[in-house]
């Protein structure tokens, strides 16, 4: 038996990730919204449907599942069968005041560790625990030790003391994290934009603002690279990573500009699915950035995150090809200009996902060189 589920998440005002759990109707244990596949709906769309039915939430579901877990589903006749549940991350954007199963279930927002502890299924516990927010920033003393290790000071004692005495400037780790925050905000606004509706202009402005912020950050990085005597990584690695991150927000900006230039107000399901993948890729990038402070300690987790980024890009390519083919069949003869405009939007969206794959490659290069 195959089912689908949504893993609803959001970020609170302090920037901490929260996971929404609901209770099952019979046993009252904590679960995530789940249900059977729905004929005619893609799996992640069915997960969105179940999230509204059971929890009254709407959002952006990534088409690429996080993974799956198994549990024993009891039938009304007392028998049970094993169900395999594919889980799709759902960035929550709206909470309704009324929904079909309101009053039948309780719901509560948990921290990531508490949510993992609250559910019963072992595989789901691991999945939620791995879907974690960035770690807390280490203290100054810990950062100093990690920095010395990164520079090879443990192997060369004299160099360790020499490097400790050298002037150090720049705030590269903070800049990486600040830029990743613009990617998260820009991706969220892009996904909302491609939903259409009356607030499209506001979503475009949000993307433009985040792109301007990202430009300011990359200028700071390039200035710091030129004037800093000792950097945590090779200068080309720093500029390479921040460069591909900036390319991603630039392409989001180009997508928003294209929608305004051509006055596009409706978007294909495949475009929306690609934007959902971009939301997930931005979230993963934001989780990865703080981990760069200690490559040795976080090498395994960085490998997991970059591997998912690469898989997301591959999934986006499949959606892009299917969407472009459907667009050609629908518009190329009767409305050729609609096809041309749609093809440009698809091109921008594909380039965004490509840039996130580049982010994964840059991070993997750092891990190989330094961990």
């Amino acid at each position: 038996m195959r089912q689908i589920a949504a893993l609803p998440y959001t970020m609170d005002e302090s920037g901490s990730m929260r996971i929404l759990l609901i209770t099952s109707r019979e046993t009252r244990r904590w679960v995530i919204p789940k249900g059977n596949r729905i004929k005619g709906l893609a799996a992640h769309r069915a997960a969105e449907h179940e999230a509204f039915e059971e929890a009254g939430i709407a959002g952006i579901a990534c088409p690429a599942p996080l993974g799956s877990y198994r549990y024993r589903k009891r039938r009304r006749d007392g028998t049970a069968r094993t169900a395999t549940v594919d889980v799709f991350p759902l960035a929550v954007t709206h909470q309704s005041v009324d929904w079909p199963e309101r009053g039948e279930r309780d719901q509560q927002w948990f921290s990531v560790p508490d949510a993992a502890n609250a559910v019963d299924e072992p595989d789901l516990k691991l999945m939620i625990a791995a879907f974690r927010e960035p770690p807390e920033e280490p203290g100054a003393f810990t950062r100093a030790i990690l920095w010395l290790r990164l520079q090879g000071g443990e192997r060369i004692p004299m160099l360790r003391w020499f490097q400790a005495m050298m002037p150090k400037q720049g705030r590269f780790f903070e800049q990486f994290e600040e830029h990743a925050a613009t990617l998260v905000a820009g991706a969220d606004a892009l996904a909302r934009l491609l939903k259409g509706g009356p607030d499209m202009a506001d979503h475009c402005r949000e993307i433009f603002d985040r792109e301007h912020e990202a430009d300011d950050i990359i200028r700071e990085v390039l200035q710091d690279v030129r004037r800093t005597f000792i950097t945590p990584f090779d200068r080309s690695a720093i500029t390479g990573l921040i460069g591909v991150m900036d390319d991603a927000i630039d392409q989001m900006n180009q997508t928003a500009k294209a929608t305004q230039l051509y006055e596009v107000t409706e978007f294909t399901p495949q475009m929306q699915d690609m934007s959902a993948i971009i939301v997930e890729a931005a979230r993963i990038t934001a989780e990865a950035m703080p981990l760069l402070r200690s490559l040795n300690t976080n090498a395994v987790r960085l490998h997991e995150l970059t591997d998912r980024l690469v898989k997301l890009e591959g999934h986006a390519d499949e959606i892009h090809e299917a969407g472009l083919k459907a667009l050609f069949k629908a518009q190329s003869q009767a409305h050729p200009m609609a096809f041309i405009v749609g093809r440009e939007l698809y091109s921008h969206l594909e380039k965004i996902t490509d840039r996130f794959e580049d982010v994964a490659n840059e991070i993997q290069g750092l891990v190989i060189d330094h961990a």
Side-chain angles (χ1 to χ4, degrees):
M1 182 178 184
R2 200 89 187 186
Q3 293 186 312
I4 46 82
L7 180 61
Y9 72 93
T10 190
M11 305 296 286
D12 63 21
E13 294 180 355
S14 67
S16 297
M17 181 177 289
R18 312 293 289 179
I19 302 292
L20 181 68
L21 299 181
I22 60 175
T23 55
S24 61
R25 282 185 289 192
E26 295 180 2
T27 62
R28 311 304 293 179
R29 59 192 179 88
W30 290 111
V31 297
I32 56 177
K34 68 179 184 296
N36 296 324
R37 291 175 176 268
I38 301 174
K39 186 176 181 179
L41 281 184
H44 67 290
R45 298 292 187 191
E48 288 181 341
H49 176 82
E50 291 297 331
F52 177 76
E53 289 276 320
E54 297 183 359
I57 52 176
I60 303 159
C62 178
L66 280 174
S68 61
Y69 71 95
R70 305 177 74 185
Y71 79 103
R72 296 288 290 173
K73 180 176 177 62
R74 295 192 175 277
R75 295 174 171 177
R76 293 181 179 179
D77 61 6
T79 61
R81 64 183 300 188
T82 300
T84 300
V85 186
D86 295 321
V87 180
F88 298 86
L90 176 70
V92 176
T93 60
H94 178 71
Q95 171 72 64
S96 297
V97 296
D98 193 22
W99 59 94
E101 297 184 15
R102 182 175 179 235
E104 300 179 33
R105 306 174 185 268
D106 297 326
Q107 60 178 241
Q108 183 176 326
W109 289 97
F110 291 83
S111 67
V112 175
D114 288 345
N117 290 332
V119 299
D120 291 338
E121 296 80 4
D123 290 340
L124 182 57
K125 283 180 178 289
L126 293 175
M127 199 181 307
I128 294 176
F131 192 80
R132 58 179 182 261
E133 59 193 302
E136 293 184 3
E137 181 178 335
F141 178 77
T142 303
R143 292 200 305 271
I145 295 299
L146 294 174
W147 183 86
L148 287 171
R149 290 179 61 189
L150 208 60
Q151 300 301 318
E154 290 180 340
R155 297 187 298 272
I156 310 175
M158 184 62 70
L159 179 60
R160 177 185 63 201
W161 290 106
F162 174 75
Q163 290 173 329
M165 296 295 292
M166 295 305 295
K168 296 174 283 294
Q169 297 176 350
R171 41 187 295 274
F172 298 110
F173 294 120
E174 291 86 350
Q175 289 160 338
F176 288 148
E177 293 163 26
E178 290 169 3
H179 199 293
T182 70
L183 293 176
V184 171
D188 180 71
L190 178 65
R192 293 170 185 260
L193 171 65
L194 297 192
K195 294 284 188 181
D199 298 326
M200 290 180 59
D202 293 336
H203 301 322
C204 284
R205 280 194 295 272
E206 174 73 11
I207 295 171
F208 300 154
D209 290 344
R210 300 293 80 77
E211 194 271 340
H212 292 324
E213 289 179 10
D215 283 344
D216 293 338
I217 294 168
I218 195 171
R219 279 193 292 270
E220 292 177 4
V221 171
L222 296 178
Q223 290 172 358
D224 285 352
V225 165
R226 288 194 295 269
R227 66 192 181 195
T228 302
F229 189 80
I230 297 179
T231 57
F233 311 127
D234 183 82
R235 285 171 168 77
S236 63
I238 293 173
T239 57
L241 177 56
I242 200 69
V244 293
M245 291 170 65
D246 203 59
D247 289 342
I249 192 71
D250 284 345
Q251 285 299 324
M252 295 182 202
N253 190 59
Q254 290 299 317
T255 308
K257 285 184 175 180
T259 64
Q260 290 190 332
L261 175 63
Y262 301 120
E263 299 181 347
V264 183
T265 57
E266 296 182 358
F267 304 91
T268 67
Q270 292 89 349
M271 291 178 184
Q272 295 172 350
D273 286 349
M274 291 185 74
S275 72
I277 284 182
I278 291 166
V279 168
E280 175 69 355
R283 182 196 67 80
I284 292 171
T285 300
E287 180 181 343
M289 289 303 107
L291 302 181
L292 300 181
R293 296 174 182 270
S294 179
L295 288 171
N296 285 330
T297 303
N298 299 314
V300 173
R301 180 56 179 167
L302 284 168
H303 175 75
E304 294 171 350
L305 294 174
T306 54
D307 183 62
R308 178 154 173 81
L309 279 176
V310 172
K311 290 179 179 178
L312 285 173
E313 191 277 336
H315 199 108
D317 279 349
E318 296 174 0
I319 296 172
H320 170 259
E321 292 173 5
L324 201 57
K325 184 175 182 179
L327 184 68
F328 180 79
K329 288 183 177 180
Q331 305 287 7
S332 61
Q333 297 298 322
H335 304 95
M337 282 304 300
F339 170 73
I340 293 172
V341 171
R343 182 177 61 181
E344 180 174 337
L345 292 177
Y346 272 120
S347 176
H348 289 308
L349 293 169
E350 183 189 28
K351 288 176 182 176
I352 298 170
T353 60
D354 287 345
R355 297 297 78 77
F356 279 112
E357 183 182 27
D358 292 340
V359 169
N361 293 334
E362 292 288 343
I363 294 173
Q364 288 174 345
L366 286 173
V367 173
I368 292 171
D369 289 343
H370 295 275

